Amino acid sequence: MAQSLTDALQHGRLIVVAVDKPNARIRVKSEADMCTDLSCHDQTLIVTDEGKGSDLDVINEGDIVTLRASGDRAHEIVVVRRVWEELSSPEF
C-alpha cells in the first residue's frame, strides 16, 4: 500500500531529544520512538527560518527536524518546526 503525502512527511521527521554542543552530537527520536545519536561537524549545514549555518546553538530539544546523514554523521539538518511552535499548536 502506498503512503499518503502526510504519512511520508511524518515518517521523515525526527524530534531532537538532546543537543550535546561540547561533543558536537545530537540525539533524535523517530516516529517509532527509536533514538539515534548523530555526530555533527563544521560542514554540517543547519537550516532554520533565521538562515543557514553550522552552529548547534540554533537547535533546541523538542525541535522537529529532517536530516540528511550517512552512518552516524549528519550532513544537513533542517528545522521544520520549533519546540515553542509545537507547544502552541492547536493540535497540542
Side-chain angles (χ1 to χ4, degrees):
M1 183 175 172
Q3 282 185 325
S4 70
L5 177 59
T6 302
D7 291 338
L9 289 174
Q10 288 288 52
H11 182 68
R13 292 183 178 187
L14 304 164
I15 298 173
V16 177
V17 176
V19 180
D20 181 3
K21 295 170 192 166
N23 294 313
R25 298 185 64 79
I26 64 169
R27 175 173 285 173
V28 293
K29 180 175 73 170
S30 71
E31 178 182 283
D33 288 336
M34 301 270 304
C35 288
T36 304
D37 291 327
L38 297 166
S39 298
C40 300
H41 47 84
D42 292 340
Q43 287 79 34
T44 300
L45 180 63
I46 301 172
V47 182
T48 67
D49 285 344
E50 294 83 31
K52 299 177 182 179
S54 61
D55 188 1
L56 284 178
D57 285 334
V58 299
I59 296 179
N60 303 291
E61 294 174 3
D63 285 349
I64 297 174
V65 300
T66 60
L67 55 90
R68 188 172 49 87
S70 58
D72 70 341
R73 292 186 64 94
H75 298 288
E76 180 180 69
I77 302 168
V78 178
V79 178
V80 176
R81 194 170 194 177
R82 293 296 194 169
V83 63
W84 54 83
E85 293 169 347
E86 187 70 14
L87 294 175
S88 64
S89 161
E91 301 159 359
F92 187 72

